[in-house]
Amino acid sequence: MERIRLGNTVFEGENNVYLLQGEETVLVDAGVATEPTREEFVDALASFGVTPADVDRVFLTHWHYDHAGLAG
């Protein structure tokens, strides 16, 4: 499991997203839906050899926009 720290200027300042790679590629939470955070998110995934298209499932711990915003 890899932790990805994403900035969050909209709510609390920082969020954690977790990447699990195995038979499926799974994200736990997805970060707030802002363009700077999306860019951070894509770059962080790339550092683990993953693109957003590679993600099979997203598990949301709860439905706040700073956790669910980039799930789509």
Side-chain angles (χ1 to χ4, degrees):
M1 175 172 31
E2 304 294 342
R3 180 171 65 173
I4 298 171
R5 292 183 180 198
L6 298 175
N8 177 357
T9 59
V10 175
F11 193 58
E12 295 177 320
E14 189 172 89
N15 284 100
N16 292 315
V17 171
Y18 295 92
L19 173 67
L20 298 103
Q21 293 180 280
E23 288 184 34
E24 292 186 312
T25 299
V26 178
L27 290 176
V28 178
D29 289 333
V32 67
T34 65
E35 187 57 27
T37 303
R38 187 195 66 76
E39 290 173 9
E40 255 186 298
F41 177 69
V42 170
D43 290 346
L45 288 178
S47 73
F48 298 108
V50 176
T51 70
D54 296 327
V55 175
D56 298 302
R57 298 187 190 277
V58 179
F59 177 84
L60 300 176
T61 59
H62 60 286
W63 192 249
H64 288 164
Y65 60 87
D66 60 318
H67 291 259
L70 291 173

